[in-house]
Amino acid sequence: MRRLVSLLPFALLIALVVLFVSRLSDPAPHQEIRSVLLGKPAPAVQLTPLRNKPALRTEDLHGPRPILVNFFASWCLPCRVEQPQLMRLSRTLQIPIYGIAWKDSPSNVAAFLQRYGNPYQRVGIDESGRTGINWGITGVPESFIITPQGRIAYRHWGDIRADDVDKKLMPYWHKSGDLVP
Amino acid sequence: MMRWLFLWMILWSASPAWAIGVDAAPLPNPAQEQRARALMAELRCLVCQNQSLLESDADLAVDLRRIVREHVARNESDAQIKAFLVARYGSWILFRPPVTQRTWLLWFGPLVFLILGTSVILRRTARPADFSAPLSPEEQHDLERITRR
């Protein structure tokens, strides 16, 4: 019995080492930092509109359908990479996407959308970056699913990949009964 | 003589290390700027996550420093400013997480391990090994069994 007790610190050490190694080798640590805004009402937005494009205001974040809000920027490389997925979501899958250009200028955003396509039903520019900070973003791209009641259901950190669309985003729209199959 | 001069030059050339949290617009009131900098040192840069807001060069850190300064200039308390940021980013942004049920182990775990470890060590060294007593009959028997082998 005494031998078992004396082995306890060693066993505890092994358990700790296993715990630390497993957490350190986690490939997606950023995903673990869950947004504290989940379940809360989407924060207000204060955005510069783009010429000739429908503007995005706070009142637009209240349904009637679930919405994808996508923070992007013309200077952001992963944002270019995810554009095809956003186009797919918007054009093919008919999901409403609202874009917020973070810390960007109207001319650069217009050029970006001209060049890579515009998946956004509404778009606005957060020139100061304050709206982004109110939504708790740490960079771009980040995307949020907003419920018809205007609450944040899900935050996607980083660019949206093809299997993110199928595994993380579309299930939400299917589940909410929003999409006509 | 040259050695001292050389040492002095090396130390002097390291002085830019003090140039942290220097932005284009520090607060005009030095006491407020001091308080803002103290706060920034306690807040994590979320992009370069082991640096404080004071040390980091990331764009987000520059923005958050500006926000801290604005709130300090409005005479908000430290608790209010931290609450503002925690509401948006979670307690992860604080270098010192709050002491709650969930973080209890984080705060007191090292102390618990220290006590456990010390008690293990004490228990081992405090047991006096008494070799002077004569062997009991069982021990004598064991000894003969082992040495006969």
Side-chain angles (χ1 to χ4, degrees), chain B residues 36-52:
Chain B
R37 291 170 73 90
L39 258 180
M40 291 170 200
E42 288 181 46
L43 297 166
R44 190 189 303 267
C45 169
L46 300 153
V47 178
C48 324
Q49 290 170 2
N50 272 323
Q51 284 188 312
S52 70

Side-chain angles (χ1 to χ4, degrees), chain A residues 2 5-6 9 12 16 30 33 35-37 40 102-103 128-130 132-139, chain B residues 46-47 49 59-60 63-64 66-67 70-71 84-92 113 116 120 123-124 127:
Chain A
R2 207 190 290 163
V5 170
S6 69
L12 206 55
L16 271 180
H30 277 112
I33 304 175
S35 166
V36 289
L37 297 175
K40 301 223 175 94
W102 190 61
K103 297 182 68 73
S128 64
R130 291 305 169 88
I133 286 179
N134 285 335
W135 285 59
I137 70 171
T138 58
Chain B
L46 300 153
V47 178
Q49 290 170 2
D59 274 355
L60 184 69
D63 285 347
L64 288 174
R66 196 174 298 144
I67 287 180
E70 281 175 18
H71 285 245
F84 177 89
L85 290 171
V86 169
R88 284 151 180 76
Y89 290 104
S91 45
W92 174 244
F113 283 120
L116 269 177
V120 165
R123 206 173 292 157
R124 289 195 174 209
R127 214 182 303 138

Side-chain angles (χ1 to χ4, degrees), chain B:
Chain B
M1 175 58 196
M2 280 308 289
R3 247 186 300 169
W4 288 114
L5 184 63
F6 198 49
L7 178 66
W8 177 244
M9 278 168 55
I10 290 178
L11 289 174
W12 186 246
S13 66
S15 57
W18 291 107
I20 48 175
V22 175
D23 293 312
L27 289 172
N29 179 331
Q32 280 186 333
E33 175 67 14
Q34 186 77 330
R35 198 182 136 220
R37 291 170 73 90
L39 258 180
M40 291 170 200
E42 288 181 46
L43 297 166
R44 190 189 303 267
C45 169
L46 300 153
V47 178
C48 324
Q49 290 170 2
N50 272 323
Q51 284 188 312
S52 70
L53 279 189
L54 190 60
E55 301 160 332
S56 173
D57 286 329
D59 274 355
L60 184 69
V62 175
D63 285 347
L64 288 174
R65 282 202 291 265
R66 196 174 298 144
I67 287 180
V68 169
R69 286 196 173 99
E70 281 175 18
H71 285 245
V72 165
R74 292 208 284 267
N75 283 318
E76 286 185 20
S77 71
D78 281 8
Q80 279 175 305
I81 300 175
K82 287 183 187 173
F84 177 89
L85 290 171
V86 169
R88 284 151 180 76
Y89 290 104
S91 45
W92 174 244
I93 199 175
L94 301 171
F95 267 126
R96 264 187 248 179
V99 182
T100 66
Q101 246 183 344
R102 292 185 65 201
T103 58
W104 189 92
L105 194 59
L106 177 68
W107 274 104
F108 297 108
L111 187 64
V112 168
F113 283 120
L114 186 65
I115 292 174
L116 269 177
T118 317
S119 67
V120 165
I121 293 172
L122 284 178
R123 206 173 292 157
R124 289 195 174 209
T125 56
R127 214 182 303 138
D130 185 5
F131 296 127
S132 60
L135 296 173
S136 70
E138 294 86 22
E139 288 168 340
Q140 184 68 32
H141 187 213
D142 283 340
L143 177 63
E144 284 167 15
R145 183 167 53 81
I146 293 168
T147 52
R148 216 182 297 143
R149 219 173 270 170

Side-chain angles (χ1 to χ4, degrees), chain A residues 4 16 26 35 51 54 89 91 93 103 114 116 126 129 131 133 136-137 140 146 151-153 170 179:
Chain A
L4 269 171
L16 271 180
D26 189 327
S35 166
R51 210 152 39 116
L89 274 166
R91 301 284 162 87
L93 299 167
K103 297 182 68 73
Q114 176 85 329
Y116 296 101
D126 178 16
T131 296
I133 286 179
I137 70 171
V140 279
I146 312 292
R151 290 183 179 269
I152 294 183
M170 291 314 293
L179 283 177

